[in-house]
């Protein structure tokens, strides 16, 4: 009887492991090990690795091997800045309207608080993303969020390291609650101040602290 291999999306699984730092920058990738792990042939493994190489998550060196790419801060800063420009505009419009957004994001905040309590960085970041998508949906711009979030995996790697820093989860959660408050009360000045710190799109804190704490992870 022929063996039926389970159908898995190797690309999505690998990208998730890379962006949430379950596969650290510089880790050597062995095709045979991935084939056994996922229960698939070498072909989908190679196709996934090629796609990830094009997205700069994988470095393939002939005769040397395949490795998880190290983090490029320049690329991360570009992603952070793009997000800031779009998100700031969407949130400011909601703030001007004093939109009632709490019902849309309440469940995400509950899950973020639970993840904070458990120090579950991956769950926190996933619900953080859902929080922001909910706000984009309130402004009828969820398509924009879905588009930019596809490019944010590089940024996510730094975000994971950032969330591991002392008090970062607590500070992040507080910022999210303040964003909701500012939007619903129409406090545009307060929102602008929070957004600049929340995004840190110049990556100044990350550049000094995170890179120093994890020098082997960066280009």
């Amino acid at each position: 009887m022929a063996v039926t291999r389970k159908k898995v999306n190797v690309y999505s699984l690998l990208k998730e492991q890379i962006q949430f730092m379950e596969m650290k920058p510089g880790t050597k990738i062995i095709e045979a090990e991935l084939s056994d792990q996922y229960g698939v042939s070498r072909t989908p493994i190679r196709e996934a690795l090629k796609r990830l190489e094009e997205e700069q998550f994988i470095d393939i060196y002939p005769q040397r091997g395949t490795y998880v790419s190290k983090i490029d801060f320049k690329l991360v800063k570009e992603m952070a800045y793009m997000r800031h420009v779009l998100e700031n505009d969407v949130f400011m419009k909601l703030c001007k309207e004093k939109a009632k957004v709490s019902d849309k994001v309440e469940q995400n905040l509950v899950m973020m608080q639970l993840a904070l309590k458990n120090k579950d960085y991956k769950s926190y970041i996933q619900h953080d993303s859902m929080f922001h998508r909910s706000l984009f949906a309130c402004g009828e711009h969820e398509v924009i969020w879905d588009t930019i979030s596809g490019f944010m995996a590089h940024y996510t790697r730094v975000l994971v390291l950032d969330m591991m820093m002392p008090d970062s989860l607590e500070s992040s959660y507080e910022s999210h609650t303040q964003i909701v408050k500012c939007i619903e009360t129409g406090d545009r000045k307060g929102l602008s101040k929070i957004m600049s710190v929340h995004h840190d799109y110049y990556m100044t804190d990350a550049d000094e602290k995170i890179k120093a704490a994890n020098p082997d992870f960066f280009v």
Side-chain angles (χ1 to χ4, degrees):
M1 180 181 293
V3 176
T4 302
R5 291 184 180 272
K6 57 184 178 181
K7 188 175 182 180
V8 297
N9 189 327
V10 178
Y11 164 78
S12 294
L13 290 172
L14 279 173
K15 187 171 183 177
E16 180 174 326
Q17 286 186 291
I18 291 171
Q19 72 172 323
F20 287 105
M21 299 295 284
E22 293 164 352
M23 293 180 70
K24 302 293 192 297
T27 298
K28 187 170 185 178
I29 295 174
I30 310 297
E31 289 185 13
E33 292 179 359
L34 292 179
S35 180
D36 291 339
Q37 179 182 344
Y38 295 133
V40 298
S41 68
R42 296 284 189 91
T43 299
I45 298 294
R46 288 168 182 162
E47 290 174 349
L49 292 177
K50 182 62 178 176
R51 186 174 173 185
L52 289 167
E53 181 189 28
E54 293 171 352
E55 296 179 0
Q56 302 181 52
F57 290 108
I58 294 291
D59 292 323
I60 300 176
Y61 302 104
Q63 312 305 319
R64 287 176 51 194
T66 300
Y67 298 83
V68 176
S69 298
K70 294 193 174 185
I71 300 170
D72 183 344
F73 247 114
K74 184 178 185 299
L75 180 61
V76 171
K77 288 178 182 179
E78 288 291 290
M79 298 296 102
Y81 182 68
M82 176 181 68
R83 173 176 173 174
H84 173 76
V85 170
L86 293 170
E87 194 164 274
N88 195 62
D89 185 67
V90 171
F91 288 9
M92 281 299 173
K93 288 179 180 178
L94 291 173
C95 188
K96 184 178 180 180
E97 298 166 359
K98 295 185 180 181
K100 299 302 178 184
V101 299
S102 54
D103 290 344
K104 296 285 187 180
V105 302
E106 184 176 357
Q107 185 60 36
N108 295 319
L109 285 172
V110 169
M111 296 306 295
M112 289 166 68
Q113 189 174 43
L114 179 62
L116 186 160
K117 181 180 179 181
N118 295 328
K119 299 297 181 183
D120 187 339
Y121 307 104
K122 182 175 180 179
S123 177
Y124 183 89
I125 292 170
Q126 288 173 326
H127 286 96
D128 178 345
S129 179
M130 292 168 65
F131 169 95
H132 287 271
R133 189 185 190 280
S134 295
L135 289 180
F136 269 68
C138 287
E140 299 184 346
H141 292 302
E142 59 265 50
V143 174
I144 293 177
W145 176 260
D146 290 342
T147 300
I148 66 172
S149 64
F151 297 94
M152 293 303 295
H154 288 282
Y155 176 80
T156 301
R157 293 207 287 175
V158 173
L159 190 58
V160 171
L161 296 175
D162 183 31
M163 292 296 101
M164 292 180 177
M165 300 294 282
D167 301 322
S168 285
L169 279 174
E170 292 79 2
S171 177
S172 173
Y173 179 78
E174 178 62 23
S175 292
H176 286 82
T177 61
Q178 288 299 314
I179 286 171
V180 173
K181 182 179 179 180
C182 286
I183 288 175
E184 295 197 331
T185 60
D187 183 3
R188 283 182 280 178
K189 184 176 180 180
L191 180 61
S192 179
K193 182 178 180 180
I194 292 170
M195 294 296 284
S196 293
V197 176
H198 184 62
H199 285 141
D200 189 24
Y201 52 93
Y202 288 117
M203 304 301 290
T204 51
D205 289 340
D207 215 346
E208 296 175 5
K209 299 177 183 178
I210 300 174
K211 194 172 181 180
N214 308 276
D216 294 337
F217 290 168
F218 296 89
V219 174

